[in-house]
Amino acid sequence: MGVYTTIDPATGERLAQYPEISDAELKDLIARSAAAYREWRATPLEKRRAVLARVAEIYQERADELARLLTLEMGKPIAQAKGEVALVASIYRYYADHAEEFMADEPLDIAGSGSAVVRTEPIGPLVGVMPWNYPYYQVARFAAPNLALGNTIVLKHARNCPQSALAIERVFAEAGLPEGVYANAFVSSAQVAEAIADPRVQGVSLTGSEKAGSAVGEVAGRHMKKCVLELGGSDPFIVLRDADIDAAAAAAAVGRFANGGQACTASKRFFVEEPIYDEFVQKFLAALADWQPGDPADPGTKLGPLSSRSAVDDLDELVQDALSNGARALTGGERPDGDGAYYPPTVLVDVAPGMRAYYEELFGPVAVVHRVGSLDAAIEAANDSPFGLASSVFTADPEKADRAASELETGMVWINSTSKSSPDLPFGGVKRSGFGRELARFGFAEFANKKLVRNPGGKR
């Protein structure tokens, strides 16, 4: 059997280990989830909302403790870890506050006699498969709306953050969530497929890689299960000649290097118009002075280690491929020695088609900067990607901003800003970035039965 292991990425020290559960234990978890669903969906909405509100309070009360786990397990700088905990609390609070509104019957304006309404109801036990880069946030996006709705959840977390996974389960228990409504499961990929195939499970949500999404989507399709896939991104960041260059350069540093660059919505490909290209690059490089690798437990550190040594290996392989084929590193590009999973902030230029870094997602502190001649060229280059998650456009011209927003093939467009998450904004992409939406009222509807109730003889 496999194991889930905490390895401090700052030092390489192995700190804790947890075995996978057996097939029989997984079947028991699903059975308990199915039994709990019957009770949870019948629980008055006000009580479900109260549990979520209490979850939000616990995240706020234990912010320091919970943040330290993120720093320990995946190297997130402590200040950013506290920011994640605060965001998570806001997500649970949002659905506690808005669940009644989202579940209200929707009367239809029909041509025939009588009445017709659409009711929003839960569908049953769900499986969640979540990644390590935002251990609490990724779970909250999935769990908060579905627990408010009345679904139950069996959740497989990433192998390198088992203590964070267990902490989530403890928070739910302390908040009064009944046993079986949310269950952590240390399982293998093969066991995930078995869980999705179980007739009692009604859907699956995955946030992760293309490879994992393809595997889960295939199993879900084979067994006719609803699925939501939030996958990778290679987000474009366009800077036009009329932009505020200082603001754009500062935003570029945050957008690329926050969370160690390990975010699907991180700004990864920078397209800068010719007249301001040199000035932007100069200011972007200057901004990196604040983003040098350091101890993630230090409140002043902005850039910690990557999640693992293997993550460093994968990232450096893409960088070295680009450099060996004619790209240049204006800074960084050389992996350091030592046991920690550190990688320097790196800026690549002259990256061209044929290099892996041109199309593949760089999941770490590496930016690729391109020179473009016009907005048309920027949009064309930005869309030349298998991904379509988020994008940013920096310009002082509202018409150009609106045009870019219309023509960029992404699920989210930010004007004069990097991509940011908020409970009241939908999150999701197109193309190989996946399908479905999380957060806001859109996330509430993904695993809901939108039931028509038609009464031809009823009152309108």
Side-chain angles (χ1 to χ4, degrees), residues 130 142 203-207 216 220 225-231 427 434-438 443 446-447:
M130 296 295 141
F142 168 56
V204 56
S205 180
L206 174 139
T207 298
V216 164
K225 304 295 176 72
K226 172 65 186 291
C227 69
V228 169
L229 302 178
E230 300 287 1
L231 308 179
F427 183 104
F435 48 79
R437 291 295 181 269
E438 295 182 311
E446 286 290 352
F447 293 100

Side-chain angles (χ1 to χ4, degrees), residues 272-282 349 369-371:
V272 185
E273 271 202 288
E274 173 70 40
I276 61 167
Y277 176 86
D278 290 334
E279 183 181 358
F280 172 83
V281 169
Q282 180 183 16
V349 296
V369 184
H370 301 275
R371 187 192 308 259

Side-chain angles (χ1 to χ4, degrees), residues 100-430:
E100 184 173 10
E101 170 194 345
F102 294 161
M103 293 196 73
D105 286 355
E106 181 184 350
L108 300 180
D109 184 9
I110 57 174
S113 63
S115 65
V117 299
V118 173
R119 288 181 178 164
T120 300
E121 298 181 350
I123 61 173
L126 306 174
V127 169
V129 182
M130 296 295 141
W132 47 262
N133 57 334
Y134 290 90
Y136 303 143
Y137 163 67
Q138 307 282 11
V139 172
R141 289 192 330 206
F142 168 56
N146 283 296
L147 294 177
L149 180 57
N151 293 321
T152 56
I153 293 170
V154 174
L155 194 124
K156 178 208 178 300
H157 219 313
R159 289 185 177 275
N160 60 332
C161 57
Q163 294 186 65
S164 299
L166 293 171
I168 294 169
E169 192 175 43
R170 287 195 298 270
V171 168
F172 281 129
E174 183 176 335
L177 193 70
E179 194 272 338
V181 175
Y182 178 96
N184 178 71
F186 291 146
V187 293
S188 67
S189 296
Q191 287 175 307
V192 170
E194 293 172 8
I196 296 169
D198 191 296
R200 293 166 294 191
V201 169
Q202 298 303 307
V204 56
S205 180
L206 174 139
T207 298
S209 68
E210 286 182 86
K211 181 179 178 181
S214 179
V216 164
E218 180 182 357
V219 175
R222 189 185 316 138
H223 295 280
M224 303 294 288
K225 304 295 176 72
K226 172 65 186 291
C227 69
V228 169
L229 302 178
E230 300 287 1
L231 308 179
S234 190
D235 291 5
F237 184 111
I238 296 173
V239 187
L240 301 182
R241 66 187 69 196
D242 59 6
D244 181 331
I245 301 175
D246 290 322
V254 175
R256 175 63 284 204
F257 300 111
N259 206 50
Q262 302 167 114
C264 50
T265 55
S267 304
K268 299 184 176 80
R269 297 177 298 140
F270 297 81
F271 301 98
V272 185
E273 271 202 288
E274 173 70 40
I276 61 167
Y277 176 86
D278 290 334
E279 183 181 358
F280 172 83
V281 169
Q282 180 183 16
K283 291 181 176 180
F284 184 30
L285 292 173
L288 300 192
D290 292 334
W291 293 88
Q292 297 308 306
D295 179 1
D298 185 335
T301 296
K302 290 185 176 182
L303 182 62
L306 273 68
S307 63
S308 65
R309 292 289 294 177
S310 62
V312 174
D313 293 340
D314 292 343
L315 182 66
D316 191 58
E317 184 177 306
L318 291 175
V319 171
Q320 299 311 317
D321 173 79
L323 295 177
S324 65
N325 284 286
R328 294 181 295 125
L330 301 184
T331 187
E334 296 183 3
R335 62 183 303 166
D337 296 326
D339 295 326
Y342 288 95
Y343 201 85
T346 298
V347 177
L348 298 179
V349 296
D350 301 332
V351 173
M355 302 177 192
R356 292 179 60 195
Y358 188 84
Y359 288 113
E360 295 185 35
E361 180 179 21
L362 291 154
F363 214 64
V366 178
V368 176
V369 184
H370 301 275
R371 187 192 308 259
V372 294
S374 65
L375 173 58
D376 286 339
I379 293 173
E380 181 179 2
N383 288 340
D384 185 21
S385 170
F387 299 105
L389 192 52
S391 53
S392 297
V393 181
F394 280 74
T395 177
D397 187 330
E399 291 186 5
K400 290 181 180 178
D402 186 64
R403 181 183 159 206
S406 297
E407 296 184 17
L408 284 166
E409 297 169 353
T410 59
M412 300 171 280
V413 180
W414 288 76
I415 308 300
N416 294 318
S417 173
T418 55
S419 178
K420 298 178 175 65
S421 187
S422 175
D424 53 357
L425 298 176
F427 183 104
V430 295

